[in-house]
Amino acid sequence: MEKKNYKRTLVTTALPYANGPVHIGHLAGVYVPADIYVRYLRLKGEEVMMVGGSDEHGVPVTQRARKEGITTQEVVDRYHELIKESFKEFGISYDIYSRTTSKIHHQFASDFFRKLYDEGKLVEKTTKQFYDEAEQRFLTDRDVVGECPYCHHPKAYGNQCEDGCQRSLEPTELINPHAKESGAVPVLRDSTNWYLPLNEYQEWLKQWILEGHKEWRTNVYGQCKSWLDMDFEPRAMTRDLDWGIPVPVEGAEGKVLYVWFDAPIGYISNTKELCDAQPERWGTWQKWWQDEETRLIHFIGKDNIVFHCIIFPTMMKAHGDYIMPDNVPANEFLNLENDKISTSRNWAVWLHEYLKDFPGKQDVLRYVLTANAPETKDNDFTWRDFQARNNNELVAILGNFVNRAIVLTHKYFDGVIPAVGELNDYDRQTLDEFKDVKATLSQNIENFHFREAQKDAMNLARIGNKYLADTEPWKLAKVDMERVKTIMNIALQISANLAIAFEPFLPFSAAKLRDMLGMKEVPWDKLGDIDILTAGSTIEQPVLLFEKIDDSVIQAQIDRLERIKQENIIKNFQPKAIAEPCTFDDFTKLDIRVGTVLECEKVKKADKLLKFTIDDGLKGRTIVSGIAKWYQPEELIGKQVCFIANFPTRTLKGVESQGMILSAEDADGRLVVIGPTGPVKPGVQVG
């Protein structure tokens, strides 16, 4: 398909719910790749706008408010500011980051709905919906939980089995549904809402996506196709809620716009807010949303594909005045330490906490998230990999080369860039290696292959390191300073190229490097040139771009996650079902006694076993128990334990075991030895 030349590009990013902070999964999936792309277009001198904002309506924010016992407005105010400031500090370079509780957005979304309503583009339907009689309110999809009918996960939501098979659901499909907040079993009541007739647009969607956008990422195209292969039904665009934008229709009291109708319109209303404030710079909002010369790109995660590729385009098509997205480069999910990131389980690396724990290291996280970007499949973030990439790549390759180039220039030429002399074959070979860097980098970024593009940039630093290592200017300085001039000029030109190449990926470090080299903002078209810096110019003293991260710093983060994991295990512990009934006679057959541990040692060639010598009040006995994972032998000596005295003798690893020590399995799987709460005579019976 022939590529269209657009006059401008509008980039939107998924609106994060203002019910909590942003984590690394959000950053890797949406915000870092979007920022790379926008910074690249700005470097090229193209007209581009980046629009974002907080999604402040919907069920998650109301659930947070009820949980904390505060108003919903207080929740969204708090998290909107936290998210906005975190993005700013992290270098996500929005032209506007607004919110869906703004007056502009409320009016714009209300007018958008009313136009569809007035033109008969919506369908009014009365359906059965779950109602919580205890709280006297209709329940939204996410207010209802139950067992998934497909994978039988016990805690599926009424709209999706999030932690199980991830299938989309209807609340009435759930097995044993109940209200998430009150736990009550809901009843079905009639409710009237307005629906977007997706079925009427299905053939258009098939043509537009399946025929017109085969260049989309395979995960996006594939998910769209799987949806389009099913028969569409009308989808509700209103909800029975008291928080949100009121439905602008007479008789619709107590109903608001569905959050997935309201939220994407936020892209448009936020654009209008920016254009109205700065018309001389941005022009009208219609130029960005209704002019076919504008290229619209949505950066989202894979859980939002259906909304941005099917529902929102259908809304805009029904309205009639809007352009369609040219691309939707959705990423897959990023996991954390081989486990799915979960806000409810606090299993995440939160951006605002990272910024406090790692001050000045925004670019380290940006680099690692891009290197591990889940572009085509789910990927994993680990703290050990984070440390390794910082120490072995950013410090040892990029930082090392730049530092050597600048330090040697100050050492031999007082910080003045020397003129290049006659080039030898190795110089020409080195320069030839990066002459195509601009084309390669540009192609990868424009095709949304940010992981590969960052590798291209780092390869430039590898070329520089190899060049200095092979030419050894520190040795030549003793015999051939003219040759050293050429070598250092080339090394500094490579450094200047790095400042341009890494600007979209590592903006803070690129700015430091430009300052050291005395570079003003250099356009993208200079990338690959060997005369970016002017001989005779003075460079600044070197500043370390990156520093090594110690094991102790990383271990603290790993320990934090381990604490969270244990807290989740305990919080979610469910006792096993009571065993089949037994009689008192059954119980009395067990001779349970108390003994004192005289000796305890590990059993040879058996990691799990401990050998106990027990004072049982009689002749004494030996018992072997599989608790070595949880106890050191010396900490059990002198303690009193309960044991079953009348089990038949068993031989374990060559040791005769005369009974079984009783222990309880805790929520985290840890075995805890059972004993009396106070001292008793060895041999007394338990009963």
Side-chain angles (χ1 to χ4, degrees):
M1 188 175 71
E2 187 177 346
K3 187 176 180 181
K4 180 177 177 180
N5 291 318
Y6 292 90
K7 287 185 178 179
R8 67 194 71 87
T9 302
L10 173 62
V11 170
T12 73
T13 61
L15 307 184
Y17 274 131
N19 71 325
V22 170
H23 58 62
I24 58 170
H26 300 130
L27 296 173
V30 178
Y31 305 106
V32 170
D35 192 61
I36 291 170
Y37 189 73
V38 168
R39 286 178 180 273
Y40 162 74
L41 293 181
R42 291 184 187 132
L43 274 178
K44 290 181 67 183
E46 296 190 14
E47 187 178 12
V48 58
M49 179 192 291
M50 185 176 179
V51 176
S54 299
D55 182 354
E56 299 178 315
H57 297 133
V59 177
V61 293
T62 60
Q63 289 177 338
R64 168 70 74 167
R66 286 198 294 271
K67 182 179 179 181
E68 296 190 15
I70 59 178
T71 68
T72 308
Q73 190 64 53
E74 287 175 312
V75 168
V76 298
D77 286 347
R78 179 207 302 168
Y79 287 113
H80 169 69
E81 287 304 318
L82 177 63
I83 294 168
K84 184 177 180 180
E85 288 306 307
S86 296
F87 278 149
K88 182 179 179 181
E89 188 176 346
F90 194 59
I92 306 298
S93 55
Y94 285 110
D95 292 300
I96 182 170
Y97 187 87
S98 192
R99 56 197 306 188
T100 58
T101 55
S102 71
K103 290 182 179 179
I104 290 177
H105 175 69
H106 270 234
Q107 188 62 54
F108 200 101
S110 184
D111 291 346
F112 195 109
F113 181 92
R114 187 71 203 199
K115 182 176 188 295
L116 297 186
Y117 176 84
D118 289 341
E119 293 177 357
K121 300 289 180 64
L122 300 173
V123 178
E124 183 178 320
K125 290 175 63 178
T126 300
T127 59
K128 299 284 187 184
Q129 292 195 26
F130 280 129
Y131 185 85
D132 187 334
E133 292 181 313
E135 295 195 356
Q136 295 188 336
R137 65 185 180 93
F138 280 101
L139 298 173
T140 65
D141 300 348
R142 293 189 64 83
D143 280 326
V144 184
V145 294
E147 182 181 331
C148 174
Y150 300 100
C151 72
H152 300 286
H153 189 280
K155 293 183 179 179
Y157 287 102
N159 64 338
Q160 188 182 30
C161 182
E162 277 190 8
D163 294 322
C165 62
Q166 299 185 355
R167 291 183 69 148
S168 294
L169 300 170
E170 291 294 330
T172 51
E173 289 184 272
L174 294 174
I175 300 169
N176 299 322
H178 57 276
K180 184 176 187 293
E181 297 294 325
S182 70
V185 177
V187 298
L188 288 170
R189 284 193 181 182
D190 286 341
S191 178
T192 300
N193 283 288
W194 287 267
Y195 289 69
L196 183 67
L198 293 175
N199 50 305
E200 295 179 13
Y201 296 86
Q202 188 161 0
E203 290 306 313
W204 168 75
L205 285 166
K206 285 182 178 179
Q207 184 66 33
W208 172 61
I209 297 174
L210 302 185
E211 297 301 322
H213 286 290
K214 293 182 179 180
E215 81 283 4
W216 283 4
R217 282 183 172 170
T218 54
N219 61 325
V220 178
Y221 188 89
Q223 191 177 133
C224 289
K225 186 177 186 307
S226 67
W227 274 81
L228 290 165
D229 285 343
M230 299 184 291
D231 291 332
F232 281 179
E233 296 287 340
R235 188 167 184 130
M237 293 293 110
T238 61
R239 287 288 190 270
D240 293 277
L241 274 174
D242 58 2
W243 175 257
I245 300 174
V247 175
V249 174
E250 189 176 344
E253 291 76 16
K255 299 180 190 293
V256 299
L257 301 183
Y258 176 38
V259 67
W260 275 109
F261 181 93
D262 138 43
I265 293 174
Y267 300 142
I268 312 171
S269 62
N270 291 350
T271 305
K272 182 179 188 302
E273 183 180 335
L274 178 62
C275 291
D276 288 353
Q278 302 177 42
E280 68 289 344
R281 178 178 177 187
W282 298 106
T284 66
W285 70 265
Q286 290 91 340
K287 179 181 82 170
W288 293 93
W289 281 97
Q290 297 180 347
D291 185 347
E292 293 292 339
E293 297 297 322
T294 298
R295 186 185 190 206
L296 173 61
I297 299 175
H298 297 308
F299 281 87
I300 59 169
K302 71 175 177 182
D303 52 337
N304 290 342
I305 290 173
V306 64
F307 299 106
H308 287 79
C309 297
I310 292 177
I311 296 175
F312 188 38
T314 300
M315 290 164 51
M316 295 194 291
K317 180 72 172 176
H319 190 284
D321 295 331
Y322 290 93
I323 60 174
M324 295 295 139
D326 183 63
N327 211 312
V328 187
N331 274 351
E332 298 292 290
F333 289 149
L334 184 73
N335 296 322
L336 172 60
E337 300 285 353
N338 299 303
D339 191 6
K340 180 182 176 182
I341 290 175
S342 170
T343 56
S344 62
R345 293 187 290 121
N346 194 28
W347 188 254
V349 176
W350 304 104
L351 176 57
H352 69 293
E353 291 181 353
Y354 174 87
L355 293 169
K356 290 178 183 176
D357 292 345
F358 295 88
K361 290 183 171 55
Q362 294 95 323
D363 281 350
V364 180
L365 186 57
R366 289 175 67 108
Y367 179 83
V368 174
L369 293 179
T370 303
N372 289 327
E375 292 177 351
T376 55
K377 63 179 181 180
D378 290 358
N379 217 334
D380 195 44
F381 175 96
T382 71
W383 280 111
R384 292 298 181 199
D385 177 72
F386 171 87
Q387 180 189 27
R389 289 189 183 277
N390 177 80
N391 294 353
N392 301 337
E393 296 174 27
L394 292 176
V395 174
I397 299 174
L398 176 57
N400 178 61
F401 166 69
V402 167
N403 188 64
R404 285 203 294 176
I406 295 175
V407 165
L408 291 174
T409 301
H410 275 278
K411 180 177 181 179
Y412 299 133
F413 307 109
D414 295 324
V416 177
I417 300 172
V420 69
E422 184 177 348
L423 301 181
N424 63 24
D425 289 343
Y426 187 64
D427 296 335
R428 284 187 284 271
Q429 177 187 330
T430 299
L431 297 174
D432 190 60
E433 281 189 64
F434 71 84
K435 65 180 175 63
D436 295 328
V437 65
K438 180 174 66 178
T440 305
L441 257 171
S442 296
Q443 183 179 20
N444 276 325
I445 292 177
E446 288 171 11
N447 288 320
F448 310 107
H449 299 154
F450 305 115
R451 197 167 55 199
E452 290 303 313
Q454 185 173 263
K455 286 181 183 177
D456 295 333
M458 186 57 79
N459 188 53
L460 189 55
R462 287 188 169 91
I463 292 170
N465 264 321
K466 187 175 185 303
Y467 179 70
L468 282 182
D470 290 347
T471 55
E472 298 181 312
W474 46 88
K475 290 183 179 179
L476 287 173
K478 300 172 183 176
V479 294
D480 191 352
M481 193 55 77
E482 288 302 310
R483 174 67 185 144
V484 173
K485 289 180 180 178
T486 297
I487 293 171
M488 296 318 303
N489 182 283
I490 290 174
L492 291 172
Q493 300 296 350
I494 294 175
S495 299
N497 274 270
L498 286 167
I500 302 172
F502 271 111
E503 157 60 23
F505 307 95
L506 312 177
F508 298 94
S509 305
K512 283 183 185 177
L513 182 51
R514 286 197 307 271
D515 289 344
M516 283 189 280
L517 296 176
M519 297 170 64
K520 302 299 181 185
E521 291 190 3
V522 179
W524 188 259
D525 62 14
K526 294 293 288 182
L527 185 60
D529 287 3
I530 60 171
D531 58 353
I532 297 172
L533 301 177
T534 304
S537 300
T538 302
I539 61 176
E540 298 295 325
Q541 289 290 332
V543 176
L544 287 179
L545 295 181
F546 307 98
E547 59 185 10
K548 282 197 170 185
I549 297 175
D550 293 335
D551 290 345
S552 60
V553 174
I554 296 302
Q555 191 60 50
Q557 296 296 330
I558 294 172
D559 291 345
R560 169 188 165 272
L561 289 175
E562 184 58 34
R563 286 193 300 271
I564 290 170
K565 182 181 290 185
Q566 296 305 317
E567 289 167 3
N568 282 323
I569 289 172
I570 293 169
K571 183 173 69 175
N572 296 317
F573 172 68
Q574 292 289 337
K576 293 179 180 178
I578 301 297
E580 291 292 320
C582 70
T583 67
F584 180 73
D585 289 339
D586 293 330
F587 172 73
T588 58
K589 291 178 183 178
L590 291 176
D591 187 355
I592 304 175
R593 301 196 177 206
V594 175
T596 302
V597 180
L598 300 177
E599 297 177 14
C600 185
E601 60 184 332
K602 290 188 175 181
V603 176
K604 294 178 181 179
K605 300 181 180 179
D607 295 337
K608 297 180 181 179
L609 301 180
L610 291 181
K611 174 186 172 184
F612 290 80
T613 301
I614 303 286
D615 177 3
D616 62 357
L618 299 169
K619 297 179 181 179
R621 66 179 61 215
T622 299
I623 298 178
V624 176
S625 180
I627 59 172
K629 180 179 178 182
W630 295 277
Y631 288 98
Q632 292 299 317
E634 54 270 18
E635 65 182 298
L636 292 167
I637 296 172
K639 292 192 177 298
Q640 290 196 306
V641 298
C642 293
F643 65 93
I644 298 175
N646 60 337
F647 271 1
T649 299
R650 293 178 60 198
T651 301
L652 299 171
K653 293 292 182 179
V655 181
E656 282 196 355
S657 181
Q658 301 162 316
M660 185 178 84
I661 291 176
L662 297 183
S663 60
E665 184 177 354
D666 205 355
D668 58 0
R670 182 170 53 94
L671 292 180
V672 180
V673 170
I674 302 299
T677 57
V680 298
K681 285 288 187 180
V684 300
Q685 287 185 304
V686 177

